[in-house]
Amino acid sequence: MTHKKIGKFSIDYLTSDIFEFIEAYVFSDSSEYSFLLNKQGKSIILHKEFVAEIRINKISEQLAFKLIQRGFLIGAHHGEQIAPIKIKYFIIDITKSCNFNCLYCFRNHLTNSQMSSDTISKIAMKIIGYCRKNDIKQIGIQAFGGEPLLYLEGIKSLCKCFSNSGIEVCIDVETNASLINDAIAKELMNLNIKVGVSIDGDEKAHNAQRRLADGSKSYEMVIQGIKNLKKYYFVDFSVINVLTKMNIDRIKDLIQFYIYDLNITNVKFNIVKDNPNAVESRLAPSTVQIERFAAELCDTIFAYYRMGIRFNEDNLLTRLQNLLSRTNNNFCLSNGCRGGEAMISIDCDGNIFPCETLDFPNEKLANIFDSTFEFDSIAEKKRQHDFFVHSGAKCENCPWEYYCKGGCASRRRYNGNKEEIDEVECAINKVIYPKLIELILSEPQTVDNMSGRITCHRT
Ligand code: SF4
Ligand code: SF4
């Protein structure tokens, strides 16, 4: 798979308006079609005859129509209308307590506080006011921790605060599952809570990283919790698996374990961020390991889909959706880091941070109890934190720049290279995106099955 850039150019013979072709990358293999991705993250599949027209800057009316539809040709006087970003996802840190002590945890374990019911009510009141003022009908809230199920009363309070708000609120928890007995599983389902379970693979992989607070193994408890959850949720929950240098080379085994041993088909593999609070630092895999993982992830999942077995890896699916329809629906991977703009994190004391991984005192943006506090002013405060803005120099000629924008801001901050890129996301993108484009061009049926039929039509 090769790719070449076509620079921007203007044409003026279509109508009285002047149209501009947006700079784009053309990906070609040996087939008759090429995949075009422009600087605004929009895509189209074109027959090579049409690509030839673009290359010589002579676009027929038939092609121009398609290019206008897909956002490749825009009127010089009609720039892209970008809707203002609103906060749609709130991470609420209801407790800092945890019964686990995972090797890579970014939480400061010296604090054990729990959110008071007054703070929960105040947060809910402020969120409801913000949504009403901005005509936001639907939001997501994550009850975060620590281990959120240690404070089930806090989760129930959150649900109650929003129950008659007129806003559609999807509440989710990310839990280590060790506390999920039959009664809690049933209660979570009755409260309509979406559940994500943290588990790091099979027994060997999991116990090496995710330990109880006293250092003992946690695998058996987690598996029992998952079994209890399944009685009520069946397969309708997801799993987050953190990859470190210890388990990343076993990606095929891990996928096999989820499909055949646990019967779980929604998984997100997140690569560890070496951070200042981790019990054991330097767990991050090498670039070689990351590139090999990214290739194996694609090859393994594509192979399962070809066999008719559905296995959804969330970060892979997000990238596929980016390429097919630029949905901008992921706060980290669709249009750069939007922590502090589309999502925020609130700690037990009401302090607001751009992201739960950035809850350092000097990254605080405001406090919910400040007399002048408004959610509307948060994004502006975030932009004053310079590590959110990457220099761009390394990304200038990168086809994935619209989606990535230098990667995760917290990984850049943890690594102390504020102006540089997030090398982990960069390595992953450079393997996964070309593999996805190859699949889009060669196996549209497999892509349809993976994406839930978001199709990129051929022209
Ligand atoms: S700092 Fe990283 S994890 Fe947090 S919102 Fe930004 S990209 Fe996502
Ligand atoms: S970090 Fe890497 S993948 Fe991301 S935009 Fe920059 S060069 Fe591209």
Side-chain angles (χ1 to χ4, degrees), residues 394-395 398 400-401 404-406 421 426 429-430:
K394 284 195 178 177
C395 309
C398 172
W400 332 119
E401 208 270 341
C404 172
K405 297 194 173 18
I421 58 170
C426 189
N429 287 340
K430 285 178 179 168

Side-chain angles (χ1 to χ4, degrees), residues 273-390:
K273 292 174 194 160
D274 281 336
N275 70 82
N277 290 325
V279 180
E280 192 173 303
S281 58
R282 291 200 284 278
L283 286 171
S286 66
T287 307
V288 173
Q289 281 182 301
I290 291 169
E291 286 169 354
R292 195 168 49 221
F293 148 74
E296 283 184 3
L297 179 78
C298 292
D299 295 345
T300 310
I301 290 179
F302 298 169
Y304 276 117
Y305 271 97
R306 285 180 198 117
M307 290 191 282
I309 297 172
R310 181 185 164 274
F311 182 84
N312 167 35
E313 199 286 317
D314 200 64
N315 294 320
L316 184 67
L317 183 62
T318 293
R319 288 182 171 92
L320 181 61
Q321 287 167 340
N322 286 346
L323 290 175
L324 296 177
S325 59
R326 203 196 68 159
T327 46
N328 282 352
N329 62 359
N330 184 293
F331 303 128
C332 308
L333 301 178
S334 293
N335 188 14
C337 167
R338 282 179 295 156
E341 289 178 79
M343 61 157 266
I344 53 149
S345 169
I346 310 175
D347 78 3
C348 291
D349 302 316
N351 296 314
I352 298 178
F353 300 94
C355 167
E356 79 280 10
T357 62
L358 284 168
D359 61 343
F360 303 99
N362 52 351
E363 311 308 346
K364 177 179 148 183
L365 302 175
N367 184 289
I368 204 96
F369 292 102
D370 293 343
S371 56
T372 56
F373 170 74
E374 291 295 339
F375 280 116
D376 298 275
S377 58
I378 289 292
E380 189 46 48
K381 288 188 177 150
K382 167 227 166 144
R383 285 184 211 112
Q384 290 160 15
H385 292 233
D386 60 353
F387 63 90
F388 276 104
V389 184
H390 72 106

Side-chain angles (χ1 to χ4, degrees), residues 171-289:
I171 299 186
D172 60 285
V173 292
E174 213 49 66
T175 171
N176 61 36
S178 64
L179 303 168
I180 302 182
N181 55 25
D182 189 84
I184 290 184
K186 191 174 179 183
E187 181 137 37
L188 290 173
M189 188 199 64
N190 288 337
L191 289 166
N192 211 8
I193 305 273
K194 225 172 122 195
V195 180
V197 171
S198 298
I199 174 172
D200 284 355
D202 54 23
E203 186 167 4
K204 179 180 160 204
H206 179 89
N207 280 337
Q209 303 183 168
R210 296 188 62 81
R211 297 170 186 169
L212 295 172
D214 63 7
S216 56
K217 296 171 180 175
S218 67
Y219 180 78
E220 294 297 335
M221 288 170 81
V222 174
I223 293 298
Q224 187 54 52
I226 289 176
K227 281 184 187 158
N228 293 333
L229 195 64
K230 278 187 167 184
K231 283 189 223 159
Y232 298 94
Y233 281 77
F234 305 103
V235 290
D236 200 12
F237 65 97
S238 58
V239 151
I240 291 190
N241 185 135
V242 175
L243 295 174
T244 67
K245 64 184 178 190
M246 298 193 282
N247 61 1
I248 196 166
D249 294 330
R250 298 188 52 230
I251 192 65
K252 282 185 189 163
D253 296 345
L254 300 185
I255 292 175
Q256 193 177 337
F257 164 74
Y258 288 122
I259 294 176
Y260 294 109
D261 292 18
L262 293 193
N263 192 20
I264 284 174
T265 50
N266 287 310
V267 176
K268 189 177 191 177
F269 290 111
N270 282 347
I271 297 194
V272 71
K273 292 174 194 160
D274 281 336
N275 70 82
N277 290 325
V279 180
E280 192 173 303
S281 58
R282 291 200 284 278
L283 286 171
S286 66
T287 307
V288 173
Q289 281 182 301

